[in-house]
Structures are given as C-alpha cells and as structure tokens.
Amino acid sequence: MSPPVKLIGFFGSPYAHRAEAALCLKGVPYELMLEDLFNAKSELLLKLNPIHKKVPVLIHGDRAISESLVIAEYVDETFEGPPLLPSDPYDRAMARFWAHFIENKFIKPFFMAHWLEEGEVREAFVKEAKELLPLLEEQLKGKRFFGGDAPGYLDIAASMLAPTRMAVQEVTGVALINDDDYPALSQWAREYISNEALKPCMPDKDQLLAYFMKNKEMYKAGVKAMLQK
Ligand SMILES: N[C@@H](CCC(=O)N[C@@H](CS)C(=O)NCC(=O)O)C(=O)O
C-alpha cells in the first residue's frame, strides 16, 4: 500500500494548484495542509523545504518533494492513473520545453503587465507578453488541451492562465487573453476550469476573486519591489 500523501499549500497559490492538479488528474487521494503565508510559515514547511521555504511541498510517506513542476513529474511517475506526460520521448521533451518556456520566459512579463501601474515599464511588459502569447496559442491549434483530448503536464504548467489569470483579469481590468485575440487560449481556460477530473481541486471562483481583490495592493507593491531588486 502506498504511504499517505499530503500537500502543503496555500489558497490562491497557482503553484500549489499545479501540485493539486497533478494529484487530481492521477486520482491520488491527498490531505491538503494550508499554510498561512501572510503570517508565520509553519515549522513543517521550513523543515521540509529549507532551501526555498515555499509551497507547494508534497509529502509522500517520509519523503518531501518541492517545486510544483518537479512534484507533477514525481506524481506522474509514482502513481497509477492516466499519464500526465506523453509516452513518446520527443513529445515529452516538447511538453517540458513549453513548460520551461511558461516558467522562465512567459509568466513574468504576463503578470507584470497585469499588476504594474500604467507607464513605460508596464508597456514594455505588455509588448513582450503580446509577442509571446501567439506562441502558446499556436500550441493549442486543433486541440482541446495542450496535452490533447485531456489535460496533462503542460496544462498543469499553464494552469495559472486559467483560474488565477481569470480572477486577476477581473480584479485588474487587464484582459490580454480574450476571445478575439486568443480564442484557443480563452476556450482552453474555460475547458480547464470546468474539467470534471480537476473539479475537486479547482479553487472556488468567488473565493479566488475575493482573495485577489483583498490583496490587490499587496500584489501591486510586490511586482514593483521585484523590479527594484
Ligand atoms: N518555483 C516554485 C514557486 C513556488 C512559490 O512561489 N510559492 C509561493 C506561493 S504562490 C510561496 O510559497 N511564497 C512564499 C515566499 O515567497 O516566501 C514552484 O514552482 O513551486
């Protein structure tokens, strides 16, 4: 029997959602342990992720794994259930390539464009995001999900463009992803949030909206501070 699975997460964290999504898609039961990141981090989080001190952390028996995409791959390789990564080595490499693209090239300009105040700096990020978005749109051509007919590893990697992006878009009024410019990405996001297998771990839309509304100023200040580093 497989040891119990626990996940240290945080409501509103798109990274924690990735780990939950991997567990949900594989049909792995897990206990969610929510951190209060705005106050004190738990001793457990600090002990299990001493290097980054961030959520998510997956606990599988006496093992702990950090980093959302590393967790997704671990979950895929460890548990039975529908594969998250493609079986063909080239397709697998491509899924990892685009996940890397999202992580290291796309997320920053895209979310900076949402949270920054109007100005030249924001405009530069908007321009960059608009240059990159067609590349993701292209990946969805003729497919419901990045992974094909069902969500997989790349959908998990891109998942912050679904529930998180939709809430952030509503709170900031910035709509870079919209039906006119990016119909495939827009439709994908709707399919993602309403996917049956993902339902148990999909954050409640109103709660997510309330979370970003409440913390709007903190996010705005956070992105400004990131630029000054
Ligand atoms: N690269 C990490 C990022 C995780 C991350 O940034 N988590 C945030 C919550 S969304 C966190 O724990 N922040 C706490 C902190 O920065 O101290 C991953 O993919 O898991």
Side-chain angles (χ1 to χ4, degrees):
M1 207 177 93
S2 175
V5 175
K6 297 179 185 181
L7 184 72
I8 308 183
F10 175 70
F11 181 80
S13 164
Y15 298 101
H17 171 74
R18 279 178 174 170
E20 277 201 85
L23 291 165
C24 264
L25 290 174
K26 293 295 272 193
V28 180
Y30 62 98
E31 178 192 336
L32 182 61
M33 302 157 78
L34 287 177
E35 284 287 315
D36 180 2
L37 291 179
F38 293 146
N39 294 300
K41 288 178 182 170
S42 72
E43 286 299 317
L44 189 65
L45 174 62
L46 299 176
K47 183 177 146 216
L48 297 183
N49 189 359
I51 297 184
H52 299 298
K53 304 177 177 65
K54 291 183 179 191
V55 301
V57 177
L58 184 83
I59 308 169
H60 186 204
D62 57 4
R63 294 169 168 180
I65 302 110
S66 302
E67 287 296 315
S68 56
L69 293 177
V70 177
I71 294 172
E73 291 213 30
Y74 176 84
V75 168
D76 195 25
E77 289 170 12
T78 307
F79 300 99
E80 301 287 326
L84 301 179
L85 273 155
S87 56
D88 177 77
Y90 176 75
D91 292 344
R92 210 157 53 232
M94 287 302 102
R96 290 186 176 121
F97 171 86
W98 286 107
H100 191 271
F101 165 88
I102 289 168
E103 198 68 356
N104 297 297
K105 202 160 166 66
F106 179 77
I107 285 177
K108 183 177 173 187
F110 184 76
F111 283 102
M112 284 285 179
H114 283 78
W115 288 116
L116 279 177
E117 304 283 350
E118 290 293 334
E120 274 179 35
V121 181
R122 177 177 177 270
E123 280 318 303
F125 282 121
V126 171
K127 183 171 174 284
E128 195 180 343
K130 283 185 174 172
E131 281 163 7
L132 300 176
L133 273 165
L135 303 176
L136 285 180
E137 178 82 359
E138 181 68 25
Q139 291 309 304
L140 280 167
K141 278 272 156 66
K143 292 190 286 187
R144 263 178 88 192
F145 293 99
F146 288 103
D149 290 335
Y153 176 77
L154 190 48
D155 297 275
I156 290 172
S159 60
M160 62 183 77
L161 299 183
T164 304
R165 185 271 305 173
M166 286 158 131
V168 170
Q169 183 165 314
E170 221 165 308
V171 168
T172 59
V174 177
L176 289 185
I177 295 181
N178 57 72
D179 277 310
D180 291 337
D181 295 329
Y182 304 108
L185 273 169
S186 304
Q187 179 58 22
W188 164 83
R190 286 190 288 269
E191 296 258 11
Y192 184 89
I193 60 165
S194 54
N195 182 265
E196 218 34 62
L198 288 165
K199 272 216 172 117
C201 65
M202 199 55 65
D204 177 78
K205 184 176 177 261
D206 293 336
Q207 255 179 290
L208 200 57
L209 206 54
Y211 166 81
F212 281 113
M213 194 59 93
K214 183 173 169 214
N215 296 300
K216 189 175 170 175
E217 295 311 318
M218 187 199 73
Y219 277 95
K220 283 183 170 182
V223 291
K224 248 193 207 164
M226 266 171 75
L227 288 180
Q228 281 152 13
K229 269 187 191 162

